[in-house]
Each structure stands twice: as C-alpha cells, then as structure tokens.
Amino acid sequence: VEMSDGRVLCTIADVCGKGLQAALVTFSIHTMIRALADYGRDLTEIIERLNSHLSEYLPDDSFVTMLCVAIDPRTGVMEYVNCGHLPPYLFGPLGNSRRLSASDNPPLGIAPSRFSSRQDRLAKSEILFIYTDGLTELCNGARQMLGEEELSGIDTKPLVGHLAAWNYFQSVSAPVNDAFIKTWKTYIKNPKRV
C-alpha cells in the first residue's frame, strides 16, 4: 500500500484459528490497514487503532501476529512494528543474511496496548524477506521442520539475481519495456485490486 508520505507499507499477518472466522478477521485487517494508511496515519497509530478494534471484537481465544514495514523507496529507510510475529530477514547479494530485531510488542487483539516501532535500512542490493510459521513448519521427507534457524542459511544468490535482472529490465528503454512498466505501475496503484 502506498502511504500518503510516499512510503510503501508491507504487512503480513497470521490469524489464530482456521476457517471462516480467520478469513473474516484477515479481510477486516486488510480493509483497516488500507483505510488507515490512506489517511496519513503514523505506523504505530495504525497498529494501535487496529489493535483496539481487534481487542474489542475478537473472541477471547483469538489473536493476530503481524509485521508492518513502511519503506521509503528513495532512501531504503524502513520503519517497522512487529506484533508477536516472526522476525523478518534482510538477504544480501552475496548470500549473506541478517535477522531484524524480534518483537517487543504483544500480538494484536489481546488487550489495548501501546506499540513501538524500530528503524533499519534496506540497501538497494538487499531483499526484505517476511514470512509466517507456515514456512518454518514445512517438513522434509524425514518429517523434520525447516525451522526459523534454517532461514539464515538459505542461498539467496538466485533471488538477488532475479532482483538484479528486474532492475536491469526497468532501466532499458525500449517500447515493450516501457509499456510493461506503465501497465505494472497502473496495476499496483489500482485501489480496487486485492
């Protein structure tokens, strides 16, 4: 979501539970994030208002973990609020990775709370990697879970190679590239797209 200050807001959430209730909560979160981001709200204010709503309406046995990251595409400066979610990683071009700070904040929907944000910087050659426990709980043939520790050992060179190719594609001025980029930018700014 593009924020009124020019930053791009990326969110990921994991709703406790399954089925229709979890789907409806997810839809509600999506709608509220878009609405609050459209009106120039501060990142912690967005989370606090969302948490206030969820605390009032979620059943007692439910909660939501969430990570919200606001990235300034001009500078790479990131502000993020982690609400009990798994910590994000930054993957570098040489296969290196670093884990961003874990959460100091509670999950959403438990009780009204104050939330704090942290800052970091995303270098042009880095990839922000956000995920849910659906990834860390993947099992191999021996029924061993991937686990969070294994993420730091992932070979990210192919991912960064794709990012470099995308950046190169955007830099080449050709009618077909220009048409694609124009269509892509129109698509991502369309508020009706889900």
Side-chain angles (χ1 to χ4, degrees), residues 64-122:
V64 177
T65 66
M66 179 178 241
L67 173 71
C68 289
V69 183
I71 305 169
D72 185 333
R74 299 167 299 240
T75 64
V77 171
M78 299 185 306
E79 177 187 12
Y80 64 98
V81 179
N82 189 335
C83 307
H85 201 77
L86 295 164
Y89 281 84
L90 294 180
F91 290 140
L94 303 175
N96 55 319
S97 66
R98 67 184 171 99
R99 188 176 115 169
L100 297 180
S101 299
S103 175
D104 293 335
N105 300 309
L108 301 173
I110 296 173
S113 300
R114 301 285 301 167
F115 291 84
S116 61
S117 66
R118 294 183 182 235
Q119 289 204 344
D120 210 303
R121 186 173 179 280
L122 180 67

Side-chain angles (χ1 to χ4, degrees), residues 2-190:
E2 187 172 345
M3 299 176 75
S4 60
D5 61 6
R7 295 184 298 170
V8 177
L9 181 62
C10 303
T11 62
I12 190 167
D14 194 357
V15 177
C16 176
K18 299 196 181 311
L20 184 58
Q21 179 197 347
L24 290 172
V25 171
T26 301
F27 181 74
S28 172
I29 290 168
H30 176 249
T31 303
M32 287 191 70
I33 289 287
R34 287 197 66 97
L36 292 169
D38 284 347
Y39 289 99
R41 304 283 187 213
D42 177 75
L43 192 56
T44 54
E45 184 183 354
I46 290 171
I47 295 299
E48 287 169 3
R49 293 191 66 175
L50 178 61
N51 181 60
S52 176
H53 172 77
L54 293 173
S55 295
E56 187 174 339
Y57 291 103
L58 280 183
D60 290 340
D61 62 344
S62 189
F63 62 89
V64 177
T65 66
M66 179 178 241
L67 173 71
C68 289
V69 183
I71 305 169
D72 185 333
R74 299 167 299 240
T75 64
V77 171
M78 299 185 306
E79 177 187 12
Y80 64 98
V81 179
N82 189 335
C83 307
H85 201 77
L86 295 164
Y89 281 84
L90 294 180
F91 290 140
L94 303 175
N96 55 319
S97 66
R98 67 184 171 99
R99 188 176 115 169
L100 297 180
S101 299
S103 175
D104 293 335
N105 300 309
L108 301 173
I110 296 173
S113 300
R114 301 285 301 167
F115 291 84
S116 61
S117 66
R118 294 183 182 235
Q119 289 204 344
D120 210 303
R121 186 173 179 280
L122 180 67
K124 286 190 180 212
S125 60
E126 289 181 315
I127 295 173
L128 174 65
F129 185 72
I130 57 178
Y131 56 99
T132 68
D133 60 8
L135 176 64
T136 57
E137 293 175 1
L138 282 176
C139 291
N140 62 15
R143 302 186 67 117
Q144 298 168 320
M145 286 196 296
L146 173 65
E148 189 182 336
E149 305 79 35
E150 297 298 320
L151 289 178
S152 62
I154 290 177
D155 181 8
T156 60
K157 291 179 198 140
L159 293 173
V160 177
H162 290 296
L163 180 61
W166 173 250
N167 288 336
Y168 175 75
F169 171 79
Q170 291 188 82
S171 71
V172 174
S173 183
V176 69
N177 289 8
D178 296 341
F180 176 82
I181 291 167
K182 181 179 178 185
T183 302
W184 175 252
K185 286 182 179 178
T186 301
Y187 170 75
I188 62 174
K189 289 186 178 186
N190 182 353

